[in-house]
Amino acid sequence: MQWKKTVAALAGVALTIGLGACGGSRGGSSAQGGGTTIQKGDTIGVSMPTKSEERWNKDGANLKKKLESAGYKVVLSFADDKPAQQNADIENMVNKNAKIVVVAAKDGTAVGPAVEKARDAGAKVIAYDRLIMNTKAVDYYATFQLEQTGVLEANYIIDKLGLKKGAKGPFNIELFTGSPDDNNAKYFFKGAWDLLKPYFESGVLVSPSNHGGGVKKDFGVKDWQRISVQGWKAEQAQKDMESILDSTYAHGERLHAVLSPYDGISQGVINAIQSKRPDMVPGSDTWPLITGQDAMELAVSNIAKDMQGETVFKDVNKLADAVYEMIIEIAQGKKVSGINGKFNNDQIDVPSKLLDPQNITKDNLDDLVKADYITQERFDQLTKGND
């Protein structure tokens, strides 16, 4: 009898594991947890990586407002840039019986054990903007077309330097990538590098510094972490850029462009140039082309002042809408609509909803107002120097 009980128990465990593995890769049509749907008043957890960056405050607030308006309780937390804190936040959501947990990961790998606990407790897990890696406990992923972000940044540089029109250069360019613990950063860089690399191979673009061991024509996407900025921090980017300027551009050498994947990094680059090369003047040929991402307020101001050339606008209002719709469909036991891609997290292919980013320059800066991303009053403060 004891032997039979043991066999039955092992079979039950195997069945549970099998269902968990299948559940991570399927599209999904209803909320887990005994086959019940999610009721109004149930708890939904939203875990953001930090409050120190403007966009995550907007993301969290947007999603919380929409879900509370629909009648759900929302536990919103910010991890203060600490993976351990984010894990604790998610476990707290599990203890509060959250039926769905939305996670914008600080560290896409470190958060795995916490979301596995959420899944084991019967919750659906949605990766928000950053993919959760190395676990089967991810039901859906919502983000923007990641490589397209890099494409927009690279094309801005290519167009402004006239490379498609046959400009021979050589043009000096320095390159940065995002945080090494953020899986998205690799895709941002891939989109840009696929377009820029041919110009490195022909010698039209050169990176004369030894940043990250040197970016040459044989540099590959696999090497992206060599030029990364830990935590996407402006301070680290400024330190790295100052080192580049001291070593390579200290005697009036021309810097034509900087590929920056994020507005905070762009600010660090700008700070370094202003500190080390005051002879470079924004709005003149002496100032380099500088890219960015996220349409932060500082980028709006920098673009208006000709210190940053472009930013990639990812409308977090639309991302919040997309995830809200996903949650409502899960709650109602419906098949999630709008799935238009999949991303492999080294364990499974995660069904993904991918939105289109937009290029923002000085010419269309007011599109941010039209999109209700920023108020006209605030826009005027930032662009007219009244802030």
Side-chain angles (χ1 to χ4, degrees):
M1 180 63 70
Q2 183 63 38
W3 176 82
K4 290 181 179 180
K5 288 181 179 179
T6 301
V7 171
L10 290 172
V13 169
L15 178 60
T16 300
I17 294 173
L19 289 173
C22 293
S25 58
R26 69 177 187 270
S29 60
S30 62
Q32 290 185 348
T36 59
T37 56
I38 299 171
Q39 307 296 323
K40 296 293 179 68
D42 282 343
T43 298
I44 295 173
V46 178
S47 174
M48 293 286 139
T50 182
K51 291 194 78 170
S52 66
E53 295 176 24
E54 178 185 320
R55 68 149 300 187
W56 298 117
N57 292 286
K58 288 185 176 181
D59 283 89
N62 285 343
L63 202 49
K64 184 175 188 290
K65 181 179 179 180
K66 291 178 183 297
L67 291 170
E68 288 182 339
S69 296
Y72 299 101
K73 295 178 182 177
V74 178
V75 177
L76 172 62
S77 65
F78 295 87
D80 194 29
D81 285 316
K82 298 181 177 68
Q85 181 61 52
Q86 187 160 47
N87 283 4
D89 291 340
I90 295 170
E91 289 181 19
N92 179 56
M93 294 169 188
V94 173
N95 293 336
K96 292 184 176 180
N97 198 28
K99 302 297 185 182
I100 298 175
V101 176
V102 180
V103 180
K106 167 58 186 172
D107 184 320
T109 299
V111 79
V115 299
E116 286 166 5
K117 289 182 180 180
R119 169 62 79 80
D120 290 345
K124 284 282 191 181
V125 176
I126 300 173
Y128 187 99
D129 203 38
R130 294 177 173 178
L131 186 57
I132 299 170
M133 303 298 294
N134 298 318
T135 178
K136 296 177 180 178
V138 188
D139 293 283
Y140 300 103
Y141 179 34
T143 189
F144 292 83
Q145 298 280 2
L146 301 180
E147 289 188 27
Q148 185 61 21
T149 297
V151 167
L152 292 172
E153 292 169 349
N155 273 331
Y156 174 79
I157 292 173
I158 290 168
D159 292 343
K160 288 296 183 180
L161 292 179
L163 304 190
K164 288 182 179 179
K165 296 180 180 179
K168 299 299 183 183
F171 299 102
N172 293 335
I173 182 174
E174 299 298 333
L175 301 92
F176 292 85
T177 60
S179 187
D181 56 8
D182 186 343
N183 186 64
N184 286 8
K186 174 179 67 177
Y187 292 101
F188 297 149
F189 180 65
K190 182 180 186 304
W193 188 241
D194 285 349
L195 295 178
L196 296 177
K197 186 174 182 178
Y199 296 106
F200 273 80
E201 292 173 339
S202 66
V204 175
L205 290 179
V206 295
S207 182
S209 77
N210 198 42
H211 178 48
V215 178
K216 309 300 180 185
K217 63 182 180 181
D218 59 346
F219 196 85
V221 173
K222 62 179 175 55
D223 303 311
W224 71 273
Q225 291 181 329
R226 285 167 41 187
I227 54 174
S228 62
V229 178
Q230 182 67 46
W232 302 87
K233 296 298 186 181
E235 298 83 1
Q236 184 61 53
Q238 180 173 344
K239 180 179 178 182
D240 292 345
M241 191 66 201
E242 286 177 347
S243 177
I244 290 170
L245 292 170
D246 283 342
S247 65
T248 311
Y249 300 91
H251 304 290
E253 291 86 354
R254 179 80 185 274
L255 172 61
H256 296 88
V258 179
L259 177 73
S260 166
Y262 165 62
D263 295 337
I265 291 175
S266 309
Q267 184 65 62
V269 169
I270 291 167
N271 292 345
I273 294 173
Q274 290 178 321
S275 171
K276 297 292 184 176
R277 288 291 302 273
D279 59 304
M280 292 184 179
V281 180
S284 75
D285 290 341
T286 63
W287 190 263
L289 304 169
I290 300 174
T291 61
Q293 176 184 182
D294 276 353
M296 296 172 67
E297 288 193 354
L298 59 85
V300 174
S301 178
N302 286 336
I303 290 173
K305 297 174 183 176
D306 295 315
M307 291 193 294
Q308 183 173 326
E310 68 88 55
T311 185
V312 177
F313 174 40
K314 302 189 303 183
D315 191 341
V316 295
N317 294 328
K318 291 183 178 179
L319 184 59
D321 285 342
V323 173
Y324 169 77
E325 291 165 3
M326 187 180 287
I327 290 170
I328 295 302
E329 288 172 338
I330 293 171
Q332 295 175 349
K334 296 179 180 179
K335 182 178 180 179
V336 171
S337 61
I339 300 299
N340 59 347
K342 60 184 179 181
F343 273 84
N344 188 279
N345 73 347
D346 294 333
Q347 287 288 319
I348 58 171
D349 290 327
V350 182
S352 305
K353 184 179 287 192
L354 307 175
L355 308 181
D356 292 322
Q358 178 187 355
N359 200 43
I360 296 291
T361 66
K362 196 171 184 179
D363 292 336
N364 65 341
L365 198 53
D366 62 351
D367 278 3
L368 300 176
V369 177
K370 296 174 184 177
D372 291 326
Y373 184 75
I374 189 171
T375 66
Q376 184 67 57
E377 179 183 8
R378 185 60 178 151
F379 181 83
D380 291 340
Q381 291 173 340
L382 293 167
T383 58
K384 295 178 181 178
N386 299 323
D387 184 48

